[in-house]
Structure formats: structure tokens, C-alpha cells
Amino acid sequence: MESLIAGLVIALFVVAIVLMAVRIVPQARARNVERLGRFQRTLQPGLNVVIPFIDRVHPAIDLREQVVSFQPQPVITEDNLVVEIDTVLYFQVTDPRAAFYEIASYLQAVEQLTVTTLRNVVGSMDLERTLTSRDTINSQLRGVLDDATGKWGLRVNRVEIKAIDPPRTIKDAMEKQMRAERDKRAAILNAEGQRQSQILTAEGDKQAAVLRAEGQRAAEILKAEGQSRAIDQVFQAIHRNDPDPKLLAYQYLQTLPQLAQGPGNTFWVIPSEVTSALQGVSRAFTEALPKIAPTGGSADTEEAAAKAAEDATRAAAAAAAAVADAETEGGVLDGRTTTTHV
């Protein structure tokens, strides 16, 4: 019985020794091993065997790329303004031995180095340049951090600035400036729009006036051409028919009464040729008519002569009435009163 118990104890001890000697390291992890207080080796991912009670295995170190977001840090710019800058750091452990033995806490060291480097970089810039030069700040930070952390077994892949917060008063001033710039651009655009609108309106009015003037000119030209053709045709017709003075005197007397038909005519002038025209008409119609060869009989000839005498009497009466009206209304003949007997 005692031997059985001793065997079980020995077996359990052997199992414990085996478990302590076998170490399994996950992928993308690394563990440092010290033998009798001195670094002996770094365990790689997979199954590893160590000597129990002699080798000491330290906690695993993550070899994947890590992301660390630091708290916003106050930084003074070149123009003495305090801004808070929030940064994000992307790094990776490349040497587990150096990361464990060269620095006590590489995360704290990276944070403090980022803060000091950020203050040096931003301290040489004013606020406006700081707000518009994030890429420059990121590249300078990455260069400094990569050089300093190389001996710690770290590789800084990327440094990003999440936010740059200026003081509240500066934010208000920037908002007012931006609002003023927007109002200025809006006023400029509005003025440009009004100017373009006025220019287009003026050009439209100009074109319309030109077109109206051209239309009126064409209409006047056509009207003048029509009147010219009418006068020319009348003139040619008159000269082609070769009228005698008697016909012209008769037409003259027919036109004379129309001068007094206007509703606003209260004074009109009778030319001095009226008397001679009346006398010419009287002589024309009182003289003997020319002998015309009879064609249709003596009755037709007598009827035509009677009609011509009647027309002559009517024309003479109308002319005498017109002259009488002119004398009654105070008409003037060549600046003096004239009495005409027909």
C-alpha cells in the first residue's frame, strides 16, 4: 500500500515536471527565457521545452502591430497659443529581447517621447501653420520616434494626429473670420450676378432697339418707295395723256372746297390764282363746244351738250360758293380781299 502511494506521488511529480518543461507559445507571440538569471533564448511560436526550476519563462510579448491612443497634450505654438493635440501611434515589436531588457516600459517611453517630440515640432510653427501642416508634423514625429525606438526593439509604422483643439476664444475668432469670408464671397457673387444681369439686359435692349430701328427704317424705305412709285405713275399718266390748262383749272377748283372741310379750320388762305381759274373755267364751258361728227343722231348730240352745260353750271356754282364762303369768313387773297365775278 505504501509503495502504491509512493508510486502515485512519483508519477504526479513526473507529470508536473513535464508540464513545467513544456511551453506552448501562440502565433505572433514571443517569450523570453532566463537561465539562472541570465537571458538564454526567446521561445518561438509552437511547442518549446525548458528546464524546470532552472529556466524562467517571462510573460508573452505581442509581436503584432499595436495601436496606442494617447491623451490630448497641451502644446504651445510659436505665437504663444496653447493647443491640445491628440495623437495615435502605430508600432510593432521587432526584437522581444530588446523590448524586454532595453527599456522598462516601452509604452510609457513611447508616449513621453511622442509628447516631447510633438512639443518641439509644434513649438516652431504658428497656429495657422499647425492647423494646415498635419502631414509635416506626422512625418517629423515618425522620423524622430523611429530613430529613438530602434534600440528598444520597436518599429514605429505611423503617427497620426487625431485632433488639434485651439482655445475657445481662438475658435470663436476663426468662426467669425470664416463667416466674414463666406459673407464676402456671397456679396461678391451677388454683385457679379447683378452685373451680368444688367449687362445681359442692356445687350437685349440694345439689340431690340437696333431691330426696331432697322424695322422702322425698312418700313419708311418701303413707304417712301411706294409713294415715289405712285407719284411717278401719276406724273407719267398725266404727261402721257397731255392735259390742257382747262382740265387742270377744273381739277384745281374741285380741290379748293376741300380746304374748308376740316373741323378745325377757322382761317385759310385762298391763292390769287382762284380768280383766273374761275375765269378760265367760265370761258371753257361758255365757249362753243367743238363740232363733233354726228354718230348716233342729233338727239344724242343735244343730250350730251345739255349734260356738259349742266356740269359746267354746277362747277361754276360750286366755285362761286367756295369763294363766297371764303370772303364771308375773312379769307385773304395774296394779302388783300378780292371779289371775283363769274
Side-chain angles (χ1 to χ4, degrees):
M1 187 67 181
E2 293 178 359
S3 60
L4 180 60
I5 294 173
L8 291 175
V9 171
I10 293 172
L12 292 175
F13 180 75
V14 171
V15 171
I17 293 298
V18 172
L19 292 177
M20 293 176 62
V22 176
R23 297 299 174 90
I24 299 176
V25 180
Q27 183 65 34
R29 305 290 194 279
R31 302 184 70 174
N32 293 318
V33 178
E34 293 180 354
R35 179 169 294 176
L36 300 177
R38 184 177 182 180
F39 174 77
Q40 197 271 333
R41 63 193 174 99
T42 299
L43 300 181
Q44 299 299 322
L47 182 63
N48 297 273
V49 179
V50 297
I51 302 175
F53 305 109
I54 297 177
D55 292 339
R56 180 184 177 186
V57 180
H58 290 283
I61 298 176
D62 196 344
L63 301 180
R64 295 173 297 178
E65 185 174 5
Q66 301 181 41
V67 181
V68 180
S69 178
F70 301 127
Q71 294 295 326
Q73 300 294 329
V75 180
I76 300 176
T77 60
E78 187 180 11
D79 48 357
N80 297 325
L81 293 175
V82 179
V83 295
E84 292 186 354
I85 301 179
D86 191 2
T87 57
V88 177
L89 182 65
Y90 298 82
F91 71 95
Q92 186 177 8
V93 177
T94 57
D95 188 356
R97 177 183 175 278
F100 187 78
Y101 291 103
E102 297 296 333
I103 189 72
S105 175
Y106 58 83
L107 287 177
Q108 185 178 2
V110 168
E111 180 180 3
Q112 295 303 320
L113 182 61
T114 302
V115 172
T116 55
T117 306
L118 188 62
R119 289 177 178 175
N120 292 332
V121 173
V122 177
S124 61
M125 301 180 180
D126 55 8
L127 178 60
E128 185 175 359
R129 186 180 174 188
T130 301
L131 295 175
T132 58
S133 303
R134 293 194 179 190
D135 294 337
T136 303
I137 297 174
N138 292 337
S139 61
Q140 293 183 7
L141 282 176
R142 184 181 179 277
V144 173
L145 291 175
D146 199 12
D147 293 340
T149 57
K151 63 180 180 179
W152 299 339
L154 304 177
R155 183 179 66 233
V156 178
N157 297 326
R158 195 172 181 181
V159 179
E160 292 289 342
I161 295 178
K162 291 198 304 183
I164 300 177
D165 296 328
R168 184 62 186 176
T169 56
I170 301 299
K171 287 184 179 180
D172 295 339
M174 293 172 63
E175 291 178 357
K176 291 180 181 179
Q177 182 180 2
M178 293 175 63
R179 191 179 301 110
E181 289 292 335
R182 294 192 184 96
D183 294 340
K184 176 183 176 181
R185 288 196 296 268
I188 292 174
L189 292 176
N190 189 16
E192 288 290 337
Q194 292 180 356
R195 185 173 72 90
Q196 292 293 335
S197 176
Q198 292 177 358
I199 290 174
L200 294 176
T201 302
E203 291 180 353
D205 294 340
K206 176 183 175 181
Q207 294 179 0
V210 170
L211 293 176
R212 284 195 297 268
E214 291 179 352
Q216 291 177 358
R217 183 185 66 178
E220 293 294 335
I221 291 174
L222 293 176
K223 183 178 179 180
E225 291 178 353
Q227 293 178 355
S228 174
R229 291 180 181 177
I231 294 173
D232 184 62
Q233 290 181 0
V234 172
F235 182 79
Q236 292 180 1
I238 293 174
H239 283 272
R240 185 169 56 249
N241 296 324
D242 192 16
D244 56 359
K246 299 176 182 180
L247 177 61
L248 296 178
Y250 178 71
Q251 293 292 334
Y252 185 80
L253 292 177
Q254 284 184 337
T255 306
L256 185 62
Q258 297 178 1
L259 297 175
Q261 293 179 2
N265 291 336
T266 58
F267 177 82
W268 53 287
V269 179
I270 300 175
S272 60
E273 291 83 357
V274 173
T275 305
S276 60
L278 291 174
Q279 293 175 357
V281 171
S282 300
R283 287 195 301 270
F285 288 100
T286 54
E287 290 178 354
L289 294 175
K291 302 290 184 175
I292 301 175
T295 57
S298 59
D300 295 336
T301 302
E302 292 177 358
E303 184 179 356
K307 186 176 181 180
E310 183 181 357
D311 292 339
T313 304
R314 189 182 297 109
V323 173
D325 292 340
E327 292 177 352
T328 304
E329 293 178 1
V332 179
L333 301 178
D334 288 342
R336 62 182 181 277
T337 304
T338 304
T339 305
T340 305
H341 299 282
V342 181

